[in-house]
């Protein structure tokens, strides 16, 4: 999400890579420590055998350690965090149509900012409305569509576009460095194509 906010980040060539790498490392450590704590209270056999335990691991964990009130509290906090995550992503993605509108490549109304909050209000409202419409479809259909759209129209084309831009515009300033170029980009392209076509009914979903 930080990539969408690059225009608002100070020294993005330094701070964006740091934010990405540090967040991956910290989240990984927190996740491992959390799972070690859970396995100290709930045996892994129980997590595999019970569908309810799989769905409400942290709630059951807190309930066993501190009582029923703690289970309810952690459930509420998880729901709050889920809403906050969606809201954060919505704010980040609203910058994409906003930036395109500023460059003259999208509808001009999407370049409007909120007078007090200084966020792209039109873009945010449109994305929120479209996201609400997707709630009318099944979760499996939405996830399948998002996987296809994001891989085919975003991740894959970004990697290909990087190679094309490097060849066609070698004089452009490049504040971001890719180690072992172009190997990471080529590996990413191969990986995205594999994920795209290795799923069940992938050709049907692409059509």
């Amino acid at each position: 999400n930080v990539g969408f906010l690059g225009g608002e980040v100070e020294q993005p060539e330094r701070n964006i890579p740091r934010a990405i790498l540090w967040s991956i490392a910290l989240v990984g450590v927190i996740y491992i420590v959390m799972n070690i704590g859970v396995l100290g209270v709930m045996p892994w056999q129980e997590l595999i055998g019970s569908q309810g335990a799989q769905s409400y691991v942290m709630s059951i964990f807190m309930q066993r350690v501190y009582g029923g009130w703690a289970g309810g509290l952690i459930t509420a906090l998880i729901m709050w965090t889920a809403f906050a995550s969606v809201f954060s992503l919505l704010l980040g993605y609203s910058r994409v149509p906003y930036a395109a509108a500023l460059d003259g490549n999208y509808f001009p109304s999407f370049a409007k900012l909120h007078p007090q909050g200084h966020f792209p209000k039109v873009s945010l409202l449109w994305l929120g409305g479209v996201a609400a419409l997707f709630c009318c479809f099944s979760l499996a259909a939405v996830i399948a569509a998002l996987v296809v759209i994001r891989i085919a129209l975003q991740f894959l084309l970004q990697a290909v576009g990087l190679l094309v831009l490097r060849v066609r515009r070698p004089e452009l300033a490049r504040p971001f460095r890719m180690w072992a170029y172009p190997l990471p980009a080529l590996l990413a392209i191969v990986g995205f194509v594999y994920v795209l076509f290795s799923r069940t009914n992938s050709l049907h979903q692409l059509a």
Side-chain angles (χ1 to χ4, degrees):
N1 203 27
V2 71
F4 300 137
L5 309 174
E8 305 171 38
V9 177
E10 295 182 359
Q11 295 183 305
E13 68 276 5
R14 184 193 68 176
N15 291 325
I16 288 181
R18 287 183 177 182
I20 294 173
L21 295 175
W22 274 107
S23 64
I24 292 174
L26 289 175
V27 170
V29 170
I30 292 172
Y31 191 75
I32 291 173
V33 172
M34 179 189 71
N35 278 278
I36 292 175
V38 170
L39 291 175
V41 176
M42 302 174 62
W44 63 267
Q45 294 90 342
E46 180 180 349
L47 297 177
I48 295 176
S50 173
Q51 184 63 36
Q54 293 178 18
S55 303
Y56 311 104
V57 171
M58 293 309 300
S59 300
I60 297 175
F61 168 76
M62 293 297 291
Q63 182 177 0
R64 291 186 180 181
V65 175
Y66 297 106
W69 67 270
L73 176 61
I74 197 66
T75 301
L77 291 175
I78 291 173
M79 294 174 64
W80 179 271
T81 304
F83 278 109
S85 176
V86 172
F87 185 64
S88 171
L89 289 172
L90 190 61
L91 286 174
Y93 275 100
S94 68
R95 262 63 176 186
V96 178
Y98 167 71
L102 286 180
D103 292 340
N105 297 319
Y106 207 57
F107 301 111
S109 60
F110 281 75
K112 294 180 180 180
L113 293 174
H114 190 273
Q116 283 82 37
H118 304 291
F119 57 85
K121 58 179 183 179
V122 175
S123 180
L124 186 63
L125 288 173
W126 270 98
L127 285 179
V130 172
L133 288 177
F134 275 97
C135 295
C136 300
F137 300 93
S138 69
L139 181 60
V142 172
I143 291 176
L146 288 176
V147 168
V148 172
I149 293 171
R150 295 198 70 180
I151 290 179
L153 299 181
Q154 183 179 0
F155 301 145
L156 185 59
L157 291 184
Q158 282 178 345
V160 174
L162 170 68
L163 300 176
V164 173
L165 183 65
R166 186 73 177 267
V167 172
R168 297 185 61 180
R169 299 291 302 277
E171 76 282 358
L172 285 180
R174 294 186 294 273
F176 297 94
R177 291 281 183 182
M178 178 182 289
W179 295 339
Y181 177 86
L183 185 58
L186 294 174
L187 289 176
I189 291 172
V190 173
F192 289 139
V193 171
Y194 172 76
V195 171
L196 190 61
F197 289 100
S198 63
R199 298 168 302 108
T200 304
N201 297 325
S202 59
L203 294 178
H204 175 71
Q205 292 171 0
L206 282 173

